[in-house]
Amino acid sequence: MSHRIVFLGAGNLATRLSLELKKNGYVIAQVYSRTKSSASQLALKLQTHYTTSPQKIIPDADIYFVALKDSAYQEVLPYVTLENKLLVHCSGSMPLSALEKYSERRGVLYPLQTFSKNRLVDFSEIPVFIEANSKADEDKLNQIAHKISHKVKVLDSEKRLSLHIAAVFACNFVNHFYSVASEILKSDGIPFDVLQPLILETAEKVQVMAPEEAQTGPAVRFDKNVISSHMDALQAFPEFRKMYMDISESIFKYHKNR
Amino acid sequence: MSHRIVFLGAGNLATRLSLELKKNGYVIAQVYSRTKSSASQLALKLQTHYTTSPQKIIPDADIYFVALKDSAYQEVLPYVTLENKLLVHCSGSMPLSALEKYSERRGVLYPLQTFSKNRLVDFSEIPVFIEANSKADEDKLNQIAHKISHKVKVLDSEKRLSLHIAAVFACNFVNHFYSVASEILKSDGIPFDVLQPLILETAEKVQVMAPEEAQTGPAVRFDKNVISSHMDALQAFPEFRKMYMDISESIFKYHKNR
């Protein structure tokens, strides 16, 4: 059975998820976004309608996916008629209960991945975590999630929050270190691409071994000579220098105690 | 023209580099390591001789590769007869001049990658940085490096140090964040493998876009709601909590100024 779906939000996650649902036979009946350019761009890709006005969100879809910043919930959801409709958010950090005041039927569908609007990802490998306030809607979300991924799990809000924090370390903070590395190289006129094979291999290693087994580098045994030559060389970057020492100490402590 | 090579050291880098050189036709005449198990294991893989005694390092090879911790140089190199022999270290952080007191002919061959003894890597894609104190030896190292990689560059000691620091951020520190993420998940009974697709995609993104363009997550616009819910949830991990806030502030500052 196919459901008619409305997407509230047209950002990275909304774009990739709505396209993936469409590909798997679901009808995306409408897209809402605050900005016309985002709304119309996604609607064009989905070959569907869009609105930038919360009041004009259609009331007769079956499922409403919320992929908005949580601060935008208040601006949008009070205007949507959600009588006996399933309202689903896609956020790692928000509890299911965040939807309490907007609908009787609530769910979460959280795909654990980093999305960009124009970058294809293989959804079938993405772990998808679901939750709902009734067994019937949990089953419904389970069915939808299984259409797009073969790694679906039911997970409560508290554990999903842990998952989101872990993802921030493993993705967002990791990517920031790629940027820091890029800045350090830039100051010596070295292009970032020299690091690409190293970055890929570092990620590939932990596909087959535990990260604590894969750890290398001067901090593991706190190699004073190497660390102090790095600290000297980082004098032009006081912020990166402090970060370097903090993380090195954390690595040393973590591996000493293992 | 093939050279007879001695390897001083039998760790991760020495293992992968010596095997790669052998594969490309070089003769590894001997392996030295302080510990018998390391020395004999690598010698077996290379089908060559080994010693654990610096005094027994053979004097008639052409090139001596040093893949030792820098603190071990003093314990080994004074005992090696290096008359008109090329002495080459493989370290990112050590200057070429670190070999000054041991040989007239000095060089560096630094492959920018993370190595494990038993993990195959595609050397042809690894950037290799070389340096020598004479043009003739620079040419020799250039020739050797080109046999194993098609990404060879001459780089001075100071820039190589920057490269090494960048690699520590992009590999060692990144891997530590994988460990931190793993610890956070462990406390909720969630297996690490749920993060593997995210980790791989994060690394793959920066193969085709600049890391500052790829940055996502709550810290970019300092989303207070998400960040404070993460801070609350991290109360059982005071060290990770502090790290979370420091890195989030660094991300916010970095992207605000762009």
Side-chain angles (χ1 to χ4, degrees):
Chain A
M1 185 188 113
S2 197
H3 309 285
R4 294 182 77 228
I5 294 172
V6 166
F7 259 86
L8 311 178
N12 297 332
L13 167 63
T15 299
R16 299 317 320 170
L17 181 59
S18 61
L19 284 165
E20 190 68 18
L21 289 169
K22 181 183 160 74
K23 204 179 87 182
N24 284 281
Y26 292 97
V27 177
I28 314 298
Q30 191 189 36
V31 169
Y32 160 84
S33 171
R34 197 168 48 83
T35 60
K36 192 175 168 179
S37 68
S38 295
S40 63
Q41 271 171 39
L42 181 53
L44 184 68
K45 287 177 186 160
L46 292 164
Q47 293 288 297
T48 193
H49 308 282
Y50 71 87
T51 181
T52 57
S53 156
Q55 289 87 345
K56 291 189 182 156
I57 292 167
I58 57 171
D60 60 344
D62 303 299
I63 307 182
Y64 293 76
F65 273 99
V66 192
L68 299 165
K69 277 189 302 184
D70 56 357
S71 54
Y73 281 34
Q74 293 254 83
E75 300 160 22
V76 179
L77 296 181
Y79 302 99
V80 190
T81 310
L82 286 162
E83 273 166 29
N84 199 32
K85 306 296 185 183
L86 178 53
L87 182 65
V88 181
H89 79 60
C90 307
S91 155
S93 57
M94 295 243 292
L96 177 63
S97 60
L99 302 176
E100 230 159 47
K101 47 183 164 177
Y102 306 114
S103 178
E104 289 292 311
R105 294 175 54 201
R106 303 177 288 275
V108 179
L109 187 152
Y110 174 56
L112 183 58
Q113 188 50 286
T114 170
F115 296 100
S116 302
K117 281 185 186 176
N118 295 314
R119 189 172 154 81
L120 279 174
V121 280
D122 177 5
F123 253 89
S124 71
E125 290 294 322
I126 299 176
V128 176
F129 298 90
I130 59 166
E131 187 183 9
N133 72 328
S134 77
K135 188 72 180 77
D137 284 333
E138 186 186 295
D139 289 347
K140 190 167 293 217
L141 286 176
N142 218 335
Q143 194 191 0
I144 295 172
H146 269 105
K147 280 265 195 182
I148 58 174
S149 165
H150 59 79
K151 293 180 179 172
V152 181
K153 280 192 185 108
V154 177
L155 198 77
D156 68 35
S157 292
E158 205 184 322
K159 289 189 175 179
R160 192 174 56 253
L161 180 61
S162 280
L163 202 58
H164 192 220
I165 298 171
V168 166
F169 275 94
C171 167
N172 307 148
F173 290 0
V174 157
N175 188 77
H176 185 52
F177 280 177
Y178 299 158
S179 295
V180 170
S182 171
E183 288 296 322
I184 292 167
L185 293 183
K186 214 178 282 174
S187 72
D188 272 312
I190 304 170
F192 177 72
D193 62 11
V194 300
L195 289 177
Q196 286 171 337
L198 177 67
I199 284 171
L200 203 54
E201 170 68 5
T202 304
E204 278 173 354
K205 266 189 172 180
V206 297
Q207 307 296 310
V208 293
M209 57 172 109
E212 57 272 25
E213 304 299 330
Q215 188 68 52
T216 57
V220 183
R221 271 171 295 273
F222 215 81
D223 185 332
K224 282 202 183 91
N225 294 337
V226 176
I227 291 173
S228 68
S229 82
H230 288 178
M231 290 297 277
D232 287 349
L234 281 173
Q235 265 163 8
F237 299 99
E239 189 198 333
F240 299 163
R241 197 168 184 260
K242 184 177 177 311
M243 217 181 259
Y244 183 102
M245 191 46 91
D246 289 347
I247 308 288
S248 291
E249 282 169 356
S250 174
I251 291 174
F252 178 67
K253 225 170 69 186
Y254 181 70
H255 285 268
K256 196 182 61 180
N257 295 336
R258 284 185 67 230
Chain B
M1 184 189 113
S2 197
H3 308 285
R4 294 182 76 228
I5 294 173
V6 166
F7 258 86
L8 311 178
N12 296 332
L13 166 64
T15 299
R16 297 319 319 170
L17 180 59
S18 61
L19 284 165
E20 190 68 18
L21 289 169
K22 181 183 159 75
K23 203 179 88 182
N24 284 282
Y26 292 96
V27 177
I28 314 298
Q30 191 189 35
V31 169
Y32 160 84
S33 171
R34 197 169 47 84
T35 60
K36 191 177 168 182
S37 69
S38 295
S40 63
Q41 271 172 39
L42 181 53
L44 184 69
K45 287 177 186 160
L46 293 164
Q47 293 287 298
T48 192
H49 307 282
Y50 71 87
T51 180
T52 58
S53 157
Q55 290 87 347
K56 291 188 183 157
I57 292 167
I58 58 171
D60 61 344
D62 301 300
I63 307 182
Y64 292 75
F65 273 98
V66 193
L68 299 165
K69 277 187 301 184
D70 56 356
S71 53
Y73 280 34
Q74 292 255 82
E75 300 159 23
V76 180
L77 296 180
Y79 301 98
V80 190
T81 310
L82 287 161
E83 273 166 28
N84 198 31
K85 307 297 184 182
L86 178 53
L87 182 65
V88 180
H89 79 60
C90 307
S91 156
S93 56
M94 296 242 292
L96 177 63
S97 61
L99 301 177
E100 229 161 48
K101 48 183 163 177
Y102 306 113
S103 178
E104 289 293 310
R105 293 175 54 202
R106 303 177 289 277
V108 179
L109 187 150
Y110 174 55
L112 183 57
Q113 188 49 284
T114 170
F115 296 100
S116 301
K117 281 185 187 176
N118 295 312
R119 190 173 153 81
L120 280 174
V121 280
D122 177 7
F123 253 89
S124 71
E125 290 295 323
I126 300 176
V128 176
F129 298 90
I130 60 166
E131 187 183 10
N133 72 328
S134 77
K135 188 71 180 79
D137 284 333
E138 186 186 295
D139 289 347
K140 189 166 295 216
L141 286 176
N142 218 334
Q143 193 190 2
I144 295 173
H146 269 105
K147 279 265 193 182
I148 58 174
S149 165
H150 59 78
K151 293 181 179 172
V152 181
K153 279 193 186 106
V154 177
L155 198 76
D156 68 35
S157 294
E158 204 184 323
K159 289 189 175 179
R160 193 174 55 253
L161 180 61
S162 279
L163 201 58
H164 192 219
I165 298 171
V168 165
F169 274 94
C171 167
N172 307 149
F173 290 179
V174 157
N175 188 77
H176 185 53
F177 280 176
Y178 299 157
S179 295
V180 170
S182 172
E183 288 296 323
I184 291 167
L185 293 183
K186 215 179 281 173
S187 71
D188 272 312
I190 303 171
F192 177 72
D193 61 11
V194 300
L195 289 176
Q196 286 171 338
L198 177 67
I199 284 172
L200 204 55
E201 171 68 6
T202 304
E204 278 172 355
K205 266 188 171 180
V206 297
Q207 307 295 309
V208 293
M209 57 172 107
E212 57 272 25
E213 303 300 330
Q215 188 68 51
T216 57
V220 183
R221 271 170 296 272
F222 214 81
D223 184 332
K224 280 201 185 93
N225 294 336
V226 176
I227 290 173
S228 68
S229 82
H230 287 178
M231 290 298 277
D232 288 348
L234 280 173
Q235 264 163 8
F237 299 98
E239 188 197 333
F240 300 162
R241 198 167 183 260
K242 185 178 176 309
M243 217 181 255
Y244 182 102
M245 191 47 91
D246 289 346
I247 307 290
S248 292
E249 282 170 356
S250 174
I251 291 173
F252 179 67
K253 225 170 70 185
Y254 181 70
H255 286 268
K256 195 182 60 181
N257 296 336
R258 284 186 66 229

Coordinates of all heavy atoms in Angstrom, one line a residue, chain B residues 1 3 5 17 21 24 26 63 65 86 88 109 128 130 137-149 152:
Chain B
M1 N 68.6 0.1 -12.8 CA 69.6 -0.4 -11.9 C 69.0 -0.7 -10.5 O 68.3 0.2 -9.9 CB 70.7 0.7 -11.7 CG 71.9 0.2 -10.9 SD 73.0 1.6 -10.5 CE 72.8 1.9 -8.8
H3 N 69.2 -1.6 -6.4 CA 70.0 -1.3 -5.3 C 69.8 -2.4 -4.2 O 68.7 -2.9 -4.0 CB 69.7 0.0 -4.7 CG 69.7 1.1 -5.7 ND1 70.8 1.7 -6.2 CD2 68.7 1.8 -6.3 CE1 70.5 2.6 -7.0 NE2 69.2 2.7 -7.1
I5 N 69.2 -3.0 -0.4 CA 68.7 -2.2 0.6 C 68.7 -2.9 2.0 O 68.4 -4.1 2.0 CB 67.2 -1.8 0.2 CG1 67.3 -0.9 -1.0 CG2 66.5 -1.1 1.4 CD1 65.9 -0.5 -1.6
L17 N 56.6 -0.8 3.4 CA 57.5 -0.2 2.4 C 58.5 -1.2 1.9 O 58.8 -1.3 0.7 CB 58.2 1.0 3.0 CG 59.2 1.8 2.1 CD1 58.5 2.3 0.8 CD2 59.8 2.9 2.9
L21 N 58.9 -2.4 -2.0 CA 60.2 -2.3 -2.7 C 60.6 -3.6 -3.3 O 61.0 -3.7 -4.5 CB 61.3 -1.7 -1.8 CG 61.1 -0.2 -1.5 CD1 62.0 0.2 -0.4 CD2 61.3 0.7 -2.7
N24 N 58.8 -4.5 -6.3 CA 59.2 -3.8 -7.5 C 60.7 -4.0 -7.9 O 61.3 -3.2 -8.6 CB 59.0 -2.3 -7.3 CG 57.5 -1.9 -7.4 OD1 57.0 -1.8 -8.5 ND2 56.8 -1.9 -6.2
Y26 N 63.5 -4.5 -6.0 CA 64.7 -4.2 -5.1 C 65.0 -5.4 -4.2 O 64.2 -6.1 -3.8 CB 64.4 -3.0 -4.3 CG 64.3 -1.7 -5.1 CD1 63.0 -1.2 -5.6 CD2 65.4 -1.1 -5.6 CE1 62.9 -0.1 -6.4 CE2 65.3 0.0 -6.4 CZ 64.1 0.5 -6.8 OH 64.0 1.6 -7.6
I63 N 71.7 1.2 0.1 CA 70.9 2.2 0.7 C 70.4 1.6 2.1 O 70.0 0.4 2.2 CB 69.6 2.5 -0.1 CG1 70.1 3.0 -1.5 CG2 68.8 3.6 0.5 CD1 69.0 3.3 -2.5
F65 N 67.5 2.2 4.8 CA 66.3 2.9 5.2 C 66.1 2.8 6.7 O 66.1 1.7 7.3 CB 65.1 2.2 4.5 CG 64.8 2.7 3.1 CD1 65.2 2.0 2.0 CD2 64.0 3.9 3.0 CE1 64.9 2.5 0.7 CE2 63.8 4.4 1.7 CZ 64.2 3.7 0.6
L86 N 74.0 5.7 1.2 CA 72.9 6.6 1.3 C 72.0 6.1 2.5 O 71.5 5.0 2.5 CB 72.0 6.6 0.0 CG 70.8 7.5 -0.1 CD1 71.0 8.9 0.4 CD2 70.1 7.4 -1.4
V88 N 68.6 6.9 4.5 CA 67.3 7.5 4.2 C 66.3 7.3 5.4 O 66.1 6.1 5.8 CB 66.7 6.9 3.0 CG1 65.4 7.5 2.6 CG2 67.7 7.0 1.8
L109 N 62.5 9.7 2.5 CA 61.4 9.2 1.6 C 60.2 9.0 2.5 O 60.2 8.1 3.4 CB 61.8 7.9 0.9 CG 60.9 7.3 -0.2 CD1 61.6 6.5 -1.2 CD2 59.8 6.4 0.5
V128 N 54.3 10.4 -2.2 CA 55.6 10.1 -1.6 C 56.4 11.4 -1.7 O 56.5 12.0 -2.8 CB 56.3 8.9 -2.2 CG1 57.7 8.7 -1.7 CG2 55.5 7.7 -2.1
I130 N 60.0 13.3 -1.1 CA 61.5 13.0 -1.0 C 62.3 14.2 -0.8 O 61.9 15.4 -1.1 CB 62.0 12.2 -2.2 CG1 61.8 13.0 -3.5 CG2 61.3 10.8 -2.3 CD1 62.5 12.5 -4.7
D137 N 71.6 12.1 -5.2 CA 70.7 11.2 -4.3 C 69.3 11.6 -4.4 O 68.4 10.7 -4.3 CB 71.3 11.3 -2.9 CG 72.5 10.4 -2.7 OD1 72.7 9.5 -3.5 OD2 73.4 10.7 -1.9
E138 N 69.0 12.8 -4.6 CA 67.6 13.2 -4.9 C 67.1 12.5 -6.1 O 65.9 11.9 -6.1 CB 67.4 14.7 -5.0 CG 66.0 15.2 -5.1 CD 65.9 16.7 -5.5 OE1 66.4 17.5 -4.6 OE2 65.4 17.0 -6.6
D139 N 67.9 12.4 -7.1 CA 67.5 11.7 -8.4 C 67.3 10.2 -8.1 O 66.3 9.6 -8.6 CB 68.6 11.9 -9.5 CG 68.6 13.3 -10.0 OD1 67.6 14.0 -9.7 OD2 69.5 13.7 -10.7
K140 N 68.2 9.7 -7.3 CA 68.1 8.3 -7.0 C 66.8 8.0 -6.2 O 66.0 7.0 -6.5 CB 69.3 7.9 -6.1 CG 69.4 6.4 -5.9 CD 70.8 6.0 -5.3 CE 71.9 6.3 -6.3 NZ 73.0 5.4 -6.3
L141 N 66.5 8.8 -5.2 CA 65.2 8.6 -4.4 C 64.0 8.8 -5.3 O 63.0 8.2 -5.2 CB 65.2 9.5 -3.2 CG 66.2 9.1 -2.1 CD1 66.1 10.1 -0.9 CD2 65.8 7.7 -1.5
N142 N 64.1 9.8 -6.2 CA 63.0 10.1 -7.1 C 62.7 8.8 -8.0 O 61.5 8.5 -8.1 CB 63.4 11.2 -8.0 CG 62.3 12.2 -8.3 OD1 61.1 11.8 -8.3 ND2 62.6 13.4 -8.7
Q143 N 63.8 8.2 -8.4 CA 63.6 7.0 -9.2 C 63.0 5.9 -8.4 O 62.0 5.2 -8.9 CB 65.0 6.6 -9.7 CG 65.1 5.6 -10.8 CD 66.5 5.1 -11.0 OE1 67.4 5.5 -10.2 NE2 66.7 4.2 -11.9
I144 N 63.5 5.7 -7.2 CA 62.9 4.6 -6.4 C 61.4 4.9 -6.1 O 60.6 4.0 -6.2 CB 63.7 4.5 -5.1 CG1 65.1 4.0 -5.4 CG2 63.0 3.5 -4.1 CD1 66.1 4.0 -4.2
A145 N 61.2 6.2 -5.7 CA 59.8 6.5 -5.3 C 58.8 6.4 -6.5 O 57.7 5.9 -6.3 CB 59.8 8.0 -4.8
H146 N 59.3 6.7 -7.7 CA 58.4 6.5 -8.9 C 58.1 5.1 -9.2 O 57.2 4.8 -9.9 CB 59.1 7.3 -10.1 CG 58.6 8.7 -10.2 ND1 59.4 9.7 -9.9 CD2 57.4 9.2 -10.6 CE1 58.7 10.9 -10.1 NE2 57.5 10.6 -10.5
K147 N 59.0 4.2 -8.7 CA 58.7 2.8 -9.0 C 57.5 2.3 -8.2 O 56.8 1.4 -8.6 CB 59.9 1.9 -8.5 CG 61.1 1.8 -9.5 CD 60.9 0.6 -10.3 CE 62.2 0.4 -11.1 NZ 62.1 -0.8 -11.9
I148 N 57.3 2.9 -7.0 CA 56.2 2.4 -6.1 C 55.0 3.4 -6.2 O 53.9 2.9 -5.8 CB 56.6 2.2 -4.7 CG1 57.2 3.5 -4.1 CG2 57.7 1.1 -4.6 CD1 57.6 3.4 -2.6
S149 N 55.1 4.6 -6.6 CA 54.0 5.5 -6.6 C 54.1 6.5 -7.8 O 55.1 6.7 -8.3 CB 54.1 6.4 -5.3 OG 53.2 7.5 -5.4
V152 N 54.9 11.5 -6.7 CA 56.1 11.8 -6.0 C 56.4 13.3 -6.1 O 56.3 13.9 -7.1 CB 57.3 11.0 -6.7 CG1 58.6 11.3 -5.9 CG2 57.0 9.5 -6.7

